[in-house]
Amino acid sequence: LGEYIRYKDNVYIAQVADVIPGTSGTFAAVNNPFKIRFEGAGGGFRGGFRLLDMLKLEGLFSYYPDMSVKRTLLWDVPIDRKFVFTDEHGRGFTSRMKLGFTPFKERKNLEVEAGYQYMQFEQHGGQGKVFRFSDGASDTIDNWERAKSIRDGFFGGGTVRW
């Protein structure tokens, strides 16, 4: 199984404390977006088997060894700065397990399913620039250590075939 994925997180930060050089204390911020995008090709496997006539178990695992990573952080209040990071490389994987139930033995056109999904993408190293809108100056951040995005949770649904 080969595939290509483009995954993006948009996180809106509402409050910040002592993390920006040249500021002190806690200050409120309004919808400051941190955007991170992971994109790349990968491979994996998908499979399943019937447990009973009306019950089946399916799984999926994909690994992405070399992904393109792009990050942006925009501060609007009160310090009007934009952080732009260099495009870097990362890796990731996704996994999914589901249990499907077909309630009608003769007609298999309805299936109800429930399962669990886990996705993890990460990036190591990189640089960034801080742009100040007020005076147009910029500073370089040399030591961006790591960005990591994890999504997991349970899901459910149904399928009708005709």
Side-chain angles (χ1 to χ4, degrees):
L1 168 71
E3 60 183 59
Y4 189 85
I5 191 169
R6 182 176 186 181
Y7 175 79
K8 184 167 78 171
D9 268 332
N10 291 322
V11 179
Y12 294 90
I13 302 168
Q15 183 171 318
V16 178
D18 291 326
V19 295
I20 308 300
T23 65
S24 62
T26 301
F27 56 89
V30 180
N31 286 335
N32 292 296
F34 174 66
K35 297 179 180 184
I36 185 166
R37 186 193 76 212
F38 297 89
E39 184 172 3
F45 57 88
R46 177 182 300 189
F49 57 90
R50 289 217 171 268
L51 298 171
L52 301 170
D53 192 34
M54 298 174 5
L55 197 63
K56 68 179 177 180
L57 182 66
E58 293 181 335
L60 163 83
F61 179 83
S62 297
Y63 178 68
Y64 311 95
D66 187 25
M67 302 182 83
S68 166
V69 182
K70 184 173 183 129
R71 299 157 287 151
T72 305
L73 173 58
L74 178 64
W75 293 102
D76 59 355
V77 178
I79 55 175
D80 74 352
R81 293 182 186 183
K82 180 179 182 180
F83 295 75
V84 178
F85 300 94
T86 58
D87 290 352
E88 296 296 332
H89 292 277
R91 63 181 176 263
F93 70 90
T94 61
S95 61
R96 181 178 181 140
M97 218 35 158
K98 75 175 184 175
L99 191 61
F101 174 68
T102 306
F104 306 114
K105 210 173 199 181
E106 300 300 319
R107 295 174 33 203
K108 306 234 182 238
N109 64 335
L110 175 66
E111 182 179 74
V112 179
E113 62 185 30
Y116 178 77
Q117 180 169 330
Y118 183 89
M119 301 169 68
Q120 178 176 313
F121 302 103
E122 61 183 49
Q123 171 271 323
H124 295 280
Q127 267 192 343
K129 279 215 178 275
V130 180
F131 295 97
R132 291 185 293 279
F133 299 127
S134 55
D135 61 7
S138 66
D139 299 314
T140 301
I141 301 170
D142 285 322
N143 199 11
W144 177 273
E145 290 184 20
R146 187 162 95 175
K148 190 177 207 179
S149 176
I150 296 174
R151 294 277 185 226
D152 72 324
F154 293 96
F155 64 90
T159 303
V160 177
R161 294 177 191 88
W162 63 87

